Amino acid sequence: MPGFEIIGTGHYVPGRPVSNTDLSRVMDTSDDWIFQRSGIRQRHFAPEGSGCSDFAAEASRRAIESAGIPPEEIDYVVFATMTPEYVFPGSGALLAAKLGLKGVPALDIRQQCAAMLFGMQIIDGLVKSGAARTILFVGAEAHAGFMPWEDWDALDPASGRTATPEQREKANKHRALAILFGDGAGALVFRATERDAGLRGMKLHTDGTAAKLLYVEAGGFRTRPYWKHSDYDEQKYIPTMDGRELFKFAVTKLPQSARALCAETRTPLDAIDWFLAHQANARINEYVREQLGVPPEKLPSNIERFGNTSAGTLPILIDEQTRAGKLKRGDLCMLLALGAGVHWGTALVRW
Ligand code: UT7
């Protein structure tokens, strides 16, 4: 039965980097606070009028080019985002149209920061069943739309603009959330292979009793109409996040999952070449790494430059590691991720 291999990678981030100091122009925060608590120095934001499928298309073109295949060879698209252009249809269809993949099935998945793991399980099933052979996986986000400030020009020191005290007060209510997220897309081209590569094992979990640790209250179909002026006034379009609980969840569940997967697949932790972890907070990954006794050079980090790009994070990291010549054919990798849902898990993959 065939496994999968990743034959092409690409990523794209929009606009100029926005530093922590730039954020302090619109809310009460500082570079020191943000860097110490999260490891983030800068992030990118989607410009007004552009959506996640635009960044996804750029990242995909780069991935397809690096795979050296014509786009027509793609016979399935798996698209992950928590910030789609529309309530429906999903952005996978928009991405496929931008790539000229008319008629190719495009599946949208909604597992937020854990999407890469769920996507990989689907891709493994598609190649093993013979339903598809060359699959494009893309994670892309445009979180800018839920940021708690409205004067975007005020972020830019060159604008000479500053947020009003009233605007600052509004933004301050969401500052723990607003510093974390950044926009961008990562794309991977998977292909069925007879080579000894692909998924070796996976542990996936969902705990919906914890769904409200990170969720968006407004814009859902419990209310008629599903959008109300009061939702805007009460800032319900901005996600509610219990950062401390999520932090605890991650530093408990991820090492547990990693150990269980190693036991199940009879893989010693030190046989693993790379630990490719979702980047929600550098401190979370430090805790996880220390608990597992993994040397720092085996767990790469790029959160400093991008923040948390949710579904985009793991494919962006994989693209960077591949292009840097670090992640290579034959390497044994563990992927680790946790995101809103709460969905989490680990995967063991032979590259
Ligand atoms: O994939 C997405 C899933 N999300 C996560 O995994 C998030 C995990 N959690 C975290 O990363 C951390 O909880 C945060 C970085 C979001 C926040 O760090 P924290 O250490 O949990 O801070 P906190 O929210 O408990 O706030 C501590 C203090 C508060 O002040 P008081 O009440 O102690 O006076 C906050 O008001 O820090 C204050 N604070 C800030 N100060 C400056 C909160 N946000 C900021 C800020 N700048 N941006």
Side-chain angles (χ1 to χ4, degrees):
M1 219 181 304
F4 62 66
E5 60 184 343
I6 294 172
I7 60 166
T9 66
H11 83 268
Y12 175 83
V13 289
R16 73 172 182 100
V18 175
S19 70
N20 294 340
T21 309
D22 293 340
L23 292 188
S24 71
R25 300 177 57 80
V26 294
M27 55 189 187
D28 298 338
T29 191
S30 65
D31 181 47
D32 272 358
W33 194 96
I34 300 173
F35 187 68
Q36 278 171 23
R37 300 280 174 133
S38 70
I40 300 167
R41 288 276 191 211
Q42 62 174 51
R43 74 287 293 142
H44 293 250
F45 286 122
E48 172 77 43
S50 56
C52 65
S53 74
D54 295 316
F55 317 142
E58 273 308 317
S60 300
R61 285 185 195 109
R62 293 173 189 186
I64 293 166
E65 190 188 314
S66 82
I69 59 163
E72 309 81 71
E73 283 190 19
I74 289 165
D75 54 7
Y76 212 102
V77 176
V78 180
F79 189 88
T81 187
M82 65 177 206
T83 48
E85 271 102 336
Y86 307 116
V87 171
F88 69 86
S91 295
L94 309 183
L95 168 66
K98 283 176 183 149
L99 297 175
L101 300 174
K102 210 169 164 180
V104 172
L107 174 70
D108 289 275
I109 62 168
R110 299 186 52 173
Q111 272 63 36
Q112 293 60 254
C113 305
M116 177 83 256
L117 297 178
F118 283 77
M120 247 183 191
Q121 191 174 55
I122 292 168
I123 290 166
D124 188 54
L126 289 168
V127 298
K128 289 206 164 105
S129 70
R133 192 177 129 72
T134 308
I135 300 153
L136 176 67
F137 174 86
V138 191
E141 303 288 354
H143 303 109
F146 67 55
M147 287 298 151
W149 54 81
E150 283 172 29
D151 187 352
W152 282 85
D153 290 340
L155 287 172
D156 185 353
S159 72
R161 299 178 66 92
T162 47
T164 64
E166 194 191 38
Q167 288 168 338
R168 278 187 98 82
E169 199 187 314
K170 267 186 165 177
N172 281 345
K173 287 190 198 140
H174 306 278
R175 60 187 176 161
L177 171 97
I179 54 126
L180 284 185
F181 292 95
D183 296 341
L188 306 174
V189 181
F190 287 78
R191 177 163 271 183
T193 181
E194 295 302 332
R195 189 165 72 77
D196 181 23
L199 197 60
R200 291 289 177 268
M202 183 175 267
K203 288 278 179 203
L204 276 189
H205 304 277
T206 299
D207 180 359
T209 65
K212 291 196 174 171
L213 291 184
L214 179 53
Y215 81 116
V216 181
E217 195 177 345
F221 286 80
R222 285 170 304 115
T223 56
R224 292 181 274 176
Y226 68 94
W227 255 114
K228 293 185 188 302
H229 291 294
S230 58
D231 290 340
Y232 174 76
D233 295 338
E234 293 163 25
Q235 295 185 298
K236 286 186 182 167
Y237 62 95
I238 300 171
T240 300
M241 181 178 82
D242 185 338
R244 286 200 173 181
E245 280 307 311
L246 275 171
F247 197 104
K248 279 194 242 162
F249 214 108
V251 298
T252 317
K253 301 292 188 188
L254 291 175
Q256 267 174 16
S257 174
R259 288 212 175 85
L261 182 57
C262 284
E264 194 175 280
T265 56
R266 298 195 181 147
T267 308
L269 270 162
D270 60 10
I272 299 170
D273 298 300
W274 297 106
F275 292 79
L276 304 169
H278 174 62
Q279 315 267 308
N281 182 322
R283 281 168 55 228
I284 292 180
N285 288 353
E286 272 302 290
Y287 271 102
V288 172
R289 189 184 67 66
E290 278 170 15
Q291 283 184 60
L292 295 175
V294 170
E297 60 278 10
K298 282 193 174 185
L299 197 149
S301 171
N302 64 4
I303 194 169
E304 187 171 340
R305 287 171 291 124
F306 300 122
N308 177 0
T309 53
S310 298
T313 298
L314 274 169
I316 293 175
L317 186 70
I318 290 168
D319 178 44
E320 287 199 328
Q321 294 299 306
T322 306
R323 285 177 190 257
K326 293 183 176 164
L327 189 53
K328 295 182 297 293
R329 199 177 243 236
D331 286 351
L332 185 61
C333 302
M334 179 177 278
L335 279 74
L336 307 94
L338 177 137
V342 171
H343 302 290
W344 75 97
T346 48
L348 207 52
V349 182
R350 176 71 68 189
W351 231 249

